[in-house]
């Protein structure tokens, strides 16, 4: 039986999950479509998805249409759940991109399109919600062509729009879905679309182009065959208008998914990191990738695999080549459909399966035949963009937090946890505020109650001028005393640098490491507000010692005293961490975004406009982005996305530094 694995991807709100339900219902896989609002859909079946009303994980559903077995991977629309989105795209052979007929191309559309581009993924484009008020097929088509790279062409046109949407017309054949006449007011539009589609098809096929240039009239049959080849190759992206709620356009979409999208066999061989190839056939050496992991409270760890080559049977020994060729022996194999697991005797090339109770499997791992090992590339996940501080509600929650976080991060590798050595806070980082809200809910489901707060900013201190000072530690208490004496110069530098300019043996060389250690210990707390000191170059100029009373501890104390004394005249200043922010949103929000960034003390580095979307790069103090995930969602109506990367430290403006220092001193005084 022919097989298709299709990733369903869209910006949040495009109606992707509703369309998935409609496809299941129209194909006969379910007797009645579920509703997102009621929490009754096949793909959004977790408690969190039902509670929030949107996809959080990638739902796996199966349907059969015209003798073709189709696995549809319904990925989340929120960019916060990028791990699920990218995993779903990597596991599929083709993608169905869903765009709202009202909203058009949005940032999420561009993000998933770019991911599909990165992996040469063939795509279909369904313009959904064509039955809604303000739906505009022509405007969305123009949006697609201007925003997304590649050849985008309508294969079907809508008959009517909004509440008047009542059918579709095949551009290539001129036939309507119900066999009726094309409305007279559509004929000129249809003729123009036919010319545009014909040109796109001919341009995708060198043989057809040669025949066309020789003056030959290309028949519809040849055009249709070339169209399918272009879709399979990912050089042409056909567009079809649909309504998931009324069902209009669904038969044509399903037909296009069967004939237009490539199968696993047609995808061709998969290449490993070392250049080896694996043919997508059941008799080739076995290979697969774990594309997602979930933790079921009853079953345990579920590893979702995409089989690229060969056949896996229960009890077979395979290697996890990503984890040092460790052996794995799955006892049971399953197919998944919604929330149901069905045990099967084998998993063959081109199938999505589930392995259970294998604790050493992680998202991105490669499984391979021990006799023919191969390793595939990683899943390519971005760095976290948003961080919160975790505060366990009680001692029991504190004790269980570590194990619960380990399970959470096994399931979702885009979550990162660390303890800040400066502030002592336990920090959880993810892709956005929604991502971390869901993570906290998952901790609660494991019996660990936490509250989240905005993290403290890890300020630092530095100096802006050179200064010299002496540090002398002398103590006499009977018997051997303590004596250490050094004069140092401090000046602005990069990181920390320590050197000696002592001449004539004023300080024996054996005591210089002790002075350095004393200086570094004193740098842990700066003179302004007790924040760590950085970017200082220290030079030992002179000093003295005592044959009997000098010791390592004495010179260590002297080094610390010298630094503290020198800071008084070195114009100490406050530093704050900065990040490189990249924010993507529809270009119509450019003015609002720039104005907002200016209020955050941002230094805009550049703006890049691509189609209807703009990318703004700016260096921004970390303190000004603590709530940016929610603020950006509010500012753009959930049509923006952002990423951040550390960008070192920068000076805090004097008026803000004064306030921060006063608050810190008051906090220390209050204990």
């Amino acid at each position: 039986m022919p097989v298709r694995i299709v990733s369903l991807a869209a910006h949040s709100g495009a109606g992707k999950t509703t369309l998935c339900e409609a496809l299941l219902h129209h194909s006969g896989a379910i007797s009645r479509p579920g509703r997102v609002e009621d929490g009754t859909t096949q793909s959004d079946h977790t408690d969190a998805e039902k509670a929030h009303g949107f996809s959080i994980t990638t739902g796996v559903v199966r349907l059969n249409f015209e003798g073709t077995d189709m696995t549809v991977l319904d990925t989340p629309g929120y960019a916060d759940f990028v791990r699920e989105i990218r995993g779903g795209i990597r596991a599929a052979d083709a993608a169905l991109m869903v765009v709202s007929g009202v909203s058009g191309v949005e940032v999420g559309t561009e993000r998933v399109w770019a991911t599909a581009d990165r992996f040469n993924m063939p795509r279909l484009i369904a313009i959904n919600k064509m039955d809604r008020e303000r739906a505009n097929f022509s405007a969305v088509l123009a949006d697609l062509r201007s925003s997304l790279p590649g050849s985008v062409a309508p294969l079907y046109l809508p008959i009517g729009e909004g509440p008047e949407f009542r059918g579709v017309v095949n551009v290539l054949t001129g036939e309507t879905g119900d066999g009726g006449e094309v409305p007279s007011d559509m004929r000129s539009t249809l003729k123009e679309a036919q010319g545009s589609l014909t040109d796109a098809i001919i341009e995708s096929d060198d043989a057809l182009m040669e025949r066309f240039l020789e003056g030959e009239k290309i028949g519809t049959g040849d055009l249709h065959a070339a169209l399918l080849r272009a879709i399979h190759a990912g050089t042409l992206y056909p567009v079809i208008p649909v309504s998931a709620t009324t069902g209009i356009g669904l038969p044509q979409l399903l037909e296009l998914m069967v004939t237009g999208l490539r199968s696993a066999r047609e995808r061709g061989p998969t290449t490993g990191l070392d250049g080896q190839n694996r043919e997508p056939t059941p008799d080739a050496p076995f290979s697969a990738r774990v594309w997602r992991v979930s933790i079921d409270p009853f079953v345990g760890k579920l590893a979702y695999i995409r089989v690229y080559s060969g056949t896996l049977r229960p009890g077979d020994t395979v290697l996890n080549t990503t984890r040092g060729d460790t052996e794995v022996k799955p006892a049971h194999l399953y197919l998944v459909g919604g929330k149901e697991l069905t045990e099967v005797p084998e998993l063959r090339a081109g199938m999505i399966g589930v392995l259970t109770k294998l604790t050493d499997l992680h998202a991105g791992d490669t499984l391979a035949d021990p006799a023919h090992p191969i390793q595939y590339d990683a899943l390519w996940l971005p760095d976290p963009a948003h961080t919160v501080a975790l505060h366990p509600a009680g001692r029991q929650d504190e004790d269980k937090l570590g194990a619960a976080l380990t399970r959470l991060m096994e399931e979702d590798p885009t979550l990162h946890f660390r303890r800040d050595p400066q502030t002592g806070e336990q920090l959880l980082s993810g892709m956005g505020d929604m991502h971390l809200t869901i993570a906290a809910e998952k901790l609660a489901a494991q019996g660990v109650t936490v509250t989240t707060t905005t993290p403290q900013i890890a300020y630092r201190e530095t100096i802006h001028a050179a200064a010299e000072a002496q540090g002398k530690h002398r103590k006499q208490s009977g018997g051997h005393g303590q004596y250490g004496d050094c004069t140092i110069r401090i000046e602005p530098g990069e990181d920390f640098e320590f050197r000696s300019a002592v001449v004539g043996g004023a300080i024996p060389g054996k005591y210089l490491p002790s002075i350095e250690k004393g200086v570094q210990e004193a740098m842990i707390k700066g003179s302004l507000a007790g924040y760590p000191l950085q970017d200082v170059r220290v030079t030992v100029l002179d000093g003295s010692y005592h044959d009997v009373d000098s010791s390592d501890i004495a010179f260590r104390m002297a080094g610390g005293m010298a630094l503290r004394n020198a800071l008084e005249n070195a114009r100490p200043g406050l530093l704050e961490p900065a990040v490189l922010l990249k924010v993507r949103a529809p270009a119509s929000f450019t003015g609002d975004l720039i104005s907002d960034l200016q209020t955050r003390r941002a230094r805009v580095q550049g703006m890049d406009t691509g189609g209807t979307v703009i990318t703004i790069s700016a260096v921004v103090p970390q303190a000004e982005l603590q709530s940016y995930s929610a603020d950006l969602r509010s500012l753009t109506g959930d049509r923006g996305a952002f990423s951040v990367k550390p960008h070192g430290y920068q000076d805090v403006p004097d008026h803000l530094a004064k306030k921060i220092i006063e608050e810190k001193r008051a906090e220390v005084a209050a204990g």
Side-chain angles (χ1 to χ4, degrees), residues 181-258:
E181 290 289 323
V182 176
S184 57
D185 60 352
M186 279 190 64
R187 288 171 186 166
S188 62
T189 304
L190 175 60
K191 186 175 181 179
E192 181 182 343
Q194 284 174 330
S196 176
L197 179 61
T198 298
D199 289 346
I201 295 171
I202 291 174
E203 288 172 5
S204 71
D205 191 292
D206 291 342
L208 279 189
M209 176 65 77
E210 187 175 340
R211 290 166 56 187
F212 177 76
L213 293 175
E214 291 175 354
E216 182 181 341
K217 181 176 176 60
I218 310 299
T220 301
D222 286 342
L223 288 172
H224 185 260
L227 168 69
L228 296 184
R229 289 195 297 270
I231 298 172
H232 282 205
T235 57
L236 192 152
Y237 309 111
V239 180
I240 177 171
V242 300
S243 167
T245 53
T246 66
I248 296 173
L250 293 187
Q252 291 79 12
L253 176 57
L254 280 166
E255 177 68 31
L256 188 56
M257 291 170 72
V258 168

Side-chain angles (χ1 to χ4, degrees), residues 547-570:
D547 288 332
V548 176
D549 292 345
S550 288
S551 64
D552 288 329
I553 186 66
F555 274 99
R556 191 167 123 197
M557 300 292 289
M561 292 170 62
L563 178 76
R564 287 188 288 270
N565 293 336
L567 286 175
E568 296 177 6
N569 299 311

Side-chain angles (χ1 to χ4, degrees), residues 433-445:
D433 63 324
M434 184 60 68
H435 188 203
L436 296 179
T437 296
I438 299 299
E441 292 177 2
K442 288 184 176 181
L443 288 174

Side-chain angles (χ1 to χ4, degrees), residues 601-659:
R601 300 188 284 127
R603 290 180 284 121
V604 175
Q605 306 292 295
M607 291 184 285
D608 181 21
T609 303
T612 61
V613 173
I614 190 166
T615 300
I616 302 173
S617 300
V619 175
V620 192
Q622 182 182 318
E624 301 290 349
L625 294 178
Q626 300 286 67
S627 62
Y628 195 65
S629 181
D631 293 345
L632 181 64
R633 183 176 294 120
S634 175
L635 186 66
T636 64
D638 195 29
R639 300 178 69 187
F642 74 102
S643 64
V644 295
K645 287 187 176 181
H647 197 72
Y649 276 76
Q650 63 184 30
D651 290 308
V652 179
D654 290 341
H655 69 287
L656 291 177
K658 182 178 179 181
K659 180 181 178 182

Side-chain angles (χ1 to χ4, degrees), residues 86-110:
R86 292 188 178 176
I89 289 178
R90 295 303 304 276
D93 296 310
L96 172 59
M97 300 289 182
V98 185
V99 180
S100 167
V102 178
S103 304
V105 173
E106 301 183 84
V107 170
T109 317
E110 287 212 332

